[in-house]
Amino acid sequence: MKQRPEIQENVELEALNTLHVPARARFYVKVHTADELVQSLNWAASEDLEVLILGGGSNLVFAGDFSGLVVRLAIRGRRWEHIEDHKATLVLGAGENWHEAVLYATRAGYRGIENLALIPGTAGAAPVQNIGAYGVELCDCLESVTALDRKTGELVVLENAECRFAYRDSLFKQTPGRYVITEIRLALSRTRPLVLEYRDLEEYLADTAETALGPLHVAEAVMAIRRRKLPDPDIIPNAGSFFKNPVVDSATFESLRERNPGIVAYPQEQGVKLAAAWLIDQSGWKGFRNARVGVHNRQALVLINHSGGTGADILKLAEKIRQSVAGRFGVTLEIEPGIVGGTGKENP
């Protein structure tokens, strides 16, 4: 095997998470190949260290320092496979920037992931969360992933059905730590129907005939909508949507609607998905700020770190919001980002 990549000690992680909360890694390594990944994980095992796999740092909260090894996945590469007629498979290394990959595909005229434009993070993190937006989820076009199975030490290919995708869920969340994704494959098409039924998207594209639209037009519309509603994490640190949209059964929804006629919800195959942003807004939290953290004034799902807050500050605010929504609506919100590190300490 090749030589293990350099492992650094006591590395600051504030610049490596989009909330920009301070945290330190006892050990840190950046890997560019599957072989370097294996070497680094073997070293961590020999030192009996916990491992954190880090992509773009856009879907986690550091609640404190991390006492193990942080492995930053920087496996790059994108290529086309199985190009035939109007179909092709786009293969992405786990370290590829997701949004740039969306633009790469749409500019080539391929459809399937255009609604997922401007979602921060890496290609390797996308299946873990089964990212979704504007009526589309990654599982709709994901063909397979290649991953290192840490239980066997072997690289495995997992087909779509094996990934156990659900709303913001997957095999990789259900079995945390077992698989490290190194590559993903997306089945794209030049002729697949565009998904335009989401209200914001319909309104934005209302003056354009559907026959005149291509995937790049849709991606650009999604980008414009997201930029209008969501803060850029490079300007206002945030982790995107902080809470999942809760799904309730039909009876619960009807009871809620009787008491709240304006409630925003979306029918599902099983139950009804409630708009968490609406629940938070109605509970009085939209635009809230304290000295360090707050809730974005245009999107109640987004918690922001406006003045050097810690992960503990963010999580304390999130818990207050959860309790408030539960008290008013009887609905429990689930935090979407992963929580990493110790209990942390609030700023004095």
Side-chain angles (χ1 to χ4, degrees), residues 221-242:
V222 167
M223 290 159 60
I225 294 167
R226 289 182 69 92
R227 285 175 174 143
R228 187 174 64 204
K229 288 189 168 187
L230 302 171
D232 183 340
D234 290 333
I235 299 173
I236 303 176
N238 70 89
S241 298
F242 206 86

Short mmCIF file of all heavy atoms in Angstrom, two decimals, residues 221-242:
data_model
loop_
_atom_site.label_atom_id
_atom_site.label_comp_id
_atom_site.label_asym_id
_atom_site.label_seq_id
_atom_site.Cartn_x
_atom_site.Cartn_y
_atom_site.Cartn_z
N ALA A 221 -33.41 28.97 -12.21
CA ALA A 221 -34.59 29.41 -11.46
C ALA A 221 -34.47 29.00 -10.00
O ALA A 221 -34.75 29.80 -9.09
CB ALA A 221 -35.85 28.81 -12.08
N VAL A 222 -34.07 27.76 -9.76
CA VAL A 222 -33.89 27.27 -8.39
C VAL A 222 -32.84 28.12 -7.67
O VAL A 222 -33.02 28.50 -6.50
CB VAL A 222 -33.48 25.79 -8.40
CG1 VAL A 222 -32.98 25.35 -7.02
CG2 VAL A 222 -34.65 24.92 -8.84
N MET A 223 -31.75 28.44 -8.35
CA MET A 223 -30.70 29.26 -7.75
C MET A 223 -31.23 30.62 -7.35
O MET A 223 -30.95 31.13 -6.26
CB MET A 223 -29.53 29.38 -8.73
CG MET A 223 -28.75 28.09 -8.93
SD MET A 223 -27.80 28.05 -10.48
CE MET A 223 -26.72 29.46 -10.27
N ALA A 224 -32.01 31.22 -8.24
CA ALA A 224 -32.56 32.55 -7.95
C ALA A 224 -33.52 32.50 -6.75
O ALA A 224 -33.50 33.38 -5.88
CB ALA A 224 -33.29 33.08 -9.18
N ILE A 225 -34.36 31.47 -6.70
CA ILE A 225 -35.31 31.33 -5.59
C ILE A 225 -34.57 31.11 -4.29
O ILE A 225 -34.88 31.74 -3.26
CB ILE A 225 -36.28 30.17 -5.87
CG1 ILE A 225 -37.17 30.48 -7.08
CG2 ILE A 225 -37.14 29.87 -4.65
CD1 ILE A 225 -37.92 29.28 -7.61
N ARG A 226 -33.58 30.23 -4.32
CA ARG A 226 -32.83 29.93 -3.09
C ARG A 226 -32.08 31.17 -2.61
O ARG A 226 -32.02 31.45 -1.40
CB ARG A 226 -31.86 28.77 -3.31
CG ARG A 226 -32.55 27.43 -3.47
CD ARG A 226 -31.54 26.30 -3.66
NE ARG A 226 -30.79 26.06 -2.44
CZ ARG A 226 -31.13 25.17 -1.50
NH1 ARG A 226 -32.23 24.45 -1.64
NH2 ARG A 226 -30.40 24.99 -0.44
N ARG A 227 -31.49 31.92 -3.53
CA ARG A 227 -30.74 33.11 -3.13
C ARG A 227 -31.66 34.18 -2.56
O ARG A 227 -31.25 34.97 -1.70
CB ARG A 227 -29.96 33.65 -4.32
CG ARG A 227 -28.72 32.82 -4.64
CD ARG A 227 -28.03 33.28 -5.89
NE ARG A 227 -26.78 32.55 -6.09
CZ ARG A 227 -26.31 32.18 -7.27
NH1 ARG A 227 -27.01 32.46 -8.38
NH2 ARG A 227 -25.18 31.51 -7.36
N ARG A 228 -32.90 34.21 -3.03
CA ARG A 228 -33.86 35.18 -2.51
C ARG A 228 -34.30 34.81 -1.10
O ARG A 228 -34.57 35.68 -0.27
CB ARG A 228 -35.07 35.22 -3.45
CG ARG A 228 -36.09 36.30 -3.14
CD ARG A 228 -37.16 36.32 -4.22
NE ARG A 228 -37.93 35.07 -4.24
CZ ARG A 228 -38.58 34.63 -5.32
NH1 ARG A 228 -38.52 35.29 -6.45
NH2 ARG A 228 -39.26 33.51 -5.25
N LYS A 229 -34.37 33.52 -0.82
CA LYS A 229 -34.91 33.05 0.45
C LYS A 229 -33.86 32.67 1.48
O LYS A 229 -34.11 32.75 2.69
CB LYS A 229 -35.80 31.82 0.20
CG LYS A 229 -37.12 32.12 -0.47
CD LYS A 229 -37.98 30.87 -0.46
CE LYS A 229 -39.40 31.18 -0.85
NZ LYS A 229 -40.28 30.01 -0.68
N LEU A 230 -32.72 32.18 1.02
CA LEU A 230 -31.74 31.58 1.93
C LEU A 230 -30.45 32.38 1.97
O LEU A 230 -29.98 32.86 0.93
CB LEU A 230 -31.43 30.14 1.50
CG LEU A 230 -32.63 29.19 1.42
CD1 LEU A 230 -32.22 27.88 0.78
CD2 LEU A 230 -33.20 28.95 2.81
N PRO A 231 -29.84 32.51 3.13
CA PRO A 231 -28.58 33.25 3.23
C PRO A 231 -27.40 32.44 2.71
O PRO A 231 -27.35 31.22 2.86
CB PRO A 231 -28.45 33.49 4.74
CG PRO A 231 -29.17 32.34 5.36
CD PRO A 231 -30.30 32.02 4.43
N ASP A 232 -26.46 33.13 2.09
CA ASP A 232 -25.22 32.51 1.64
C ASP A 232 -24.37 32.21 2.87
O ASP A 232 -24.02 33.13 3.62
CB ASP A 232 -24.49 33.47 0.70
CG ASP A 232 -23.21 32.89 0.12
OD1 ASP A 232 -22.66 31.93 0.69
OD2 ASP A 232 -22.74 33.42 -0.91
N PRO A 233 -24.00 30.93 3.10
CA PRO A 233 -23.22 30.62 4.31
C PRO A 233 -21.85 31.30 4.36
O PRO A 233 -21.28 31.43 5.44
CB PRO A 233 -23.09 29.09 4.28
CG PRO A 233 -23.39 28.70 2.86
CD PRO A 233 -24.34 29.72 2.34
N ASP A 234 -21.34 31.73 3.20
CA ASP A 234 -20.07 32.46 3.21
C ASP A 234 -20.23 33.87 3.74
O ASP A 234 -19.26 34.52 4.12
CB ASP A 234 -19.48 32.51 1.79
CG ASP A 234 -18.98 31.15 1.32
OD1 ASP A 234 -18.61 30.33 2.19
OD2 ASP A 234 -18.96 30.91 0.10
N ILE A 235 -21.47 34.36 3.73
CA ILE A 235 -21.74 35.72 4.22
C ILE A 235 -22.41 35.67 5.60
O ILE A 235 -22.01 36.39 6.52
CB ILE A 235 -22.65 36.47 3.23
CG1 ILE A 235 -21.93 36.58 1.87
CG2 ILE A 235 -23.01 37.86 3.76
CD1 ILE A 235 -22.79 37.15 0.77
N ILE A 236 -23.43 34.83 5.73
CA ILE A 236 -24.11 34.62 7.03
C ILE A 236 -23.99 33.14 7.36
O ILE A 236 -24.68 32.31 6.76
CB ILE A 236 -25.59 35.03 6.96
CG1 ILE A 236 -25.73 36.49 6.53
CG2 ILE A 236 -26.26 34.82 8.33
CD1 ILE A 236 -27.18 36.94 6.36
N PRO A 237 -23.12 32.76 8.28
CA PRO A 237 -22.91 31.33 8.58
C PRO A 237 -24.20 30.62 8.96
O PRO A 237 -24.96 31.08 9.82
CB PRO A 237 -21.92 31.36 9.74
CG PRO A 237 -21.17 32.64 9.57
CD PRO A 237 -22.19 33.62 9.05
N ASN A 238 -24.48 29.48 8.29
CA ASN A 238 -25.66 28.69 8.58
C ASN A 238 -25.45 27.28 8.06
O ASN A 238 -24.50 27.01 7.31
CB ASN A 238 -26.90 29.33 7.96
CG ASN A 238 -26.93 29.24 6.45
OD1 ASN A 238 -27.43 28.27 5.87
ND2 ASN A 238 -26.36 30.24 5.76
N ALA A 239 -26.33 26.37 8.42
CA ALA A 239 -26.25 24.98 8.00
C ALA A 239 -27.45 24.59 7.14
O ALA A 239 -27.84 23.43 7.10
CB ALA A 239 -26.14 24.06 9.21
N GLY A 240 -28.05 25.58 6.47
CA GLY A 240 -29.22 25.29 5.66
C GLY A 240 -30.43 25.00 6.54
O GLY A 240 -30.55 25.50 7.66
N SER A 241 -31.33 24.18 6.03
CA SER A 241 -32.53 23.83 6.80
C SER A 241 -32.14 23.09 8.07
O SER A 241 -31.53 22.02 8.00
CB SER A 241 -33.46 22.96 5.95
OG SER A 241 -33.91 23.66 4.82
N PHE A 242 -32.52 23.65 9.22
CA PHE A 242 -32.07 23.08 10.49
C PHE A 242 -33.02 22.02 11.02
O PHE A 242 -32.64 21.19 11.85
CB PHE A 242 -31.90 24.18 11.53
CG PHE A 242 -30.90 23.84 12.60
CD1 PHE A 242 -29.55 24.08 12.41
CD2 PHE A 242 -31.31 23.25 13.78
CE1 PHE A 242 -28.61 23.73 13.39
CE2 PHE A 242 -30.40 22.91 14.76
CZ PHE A 242 -29.04 23.14 14.56
#
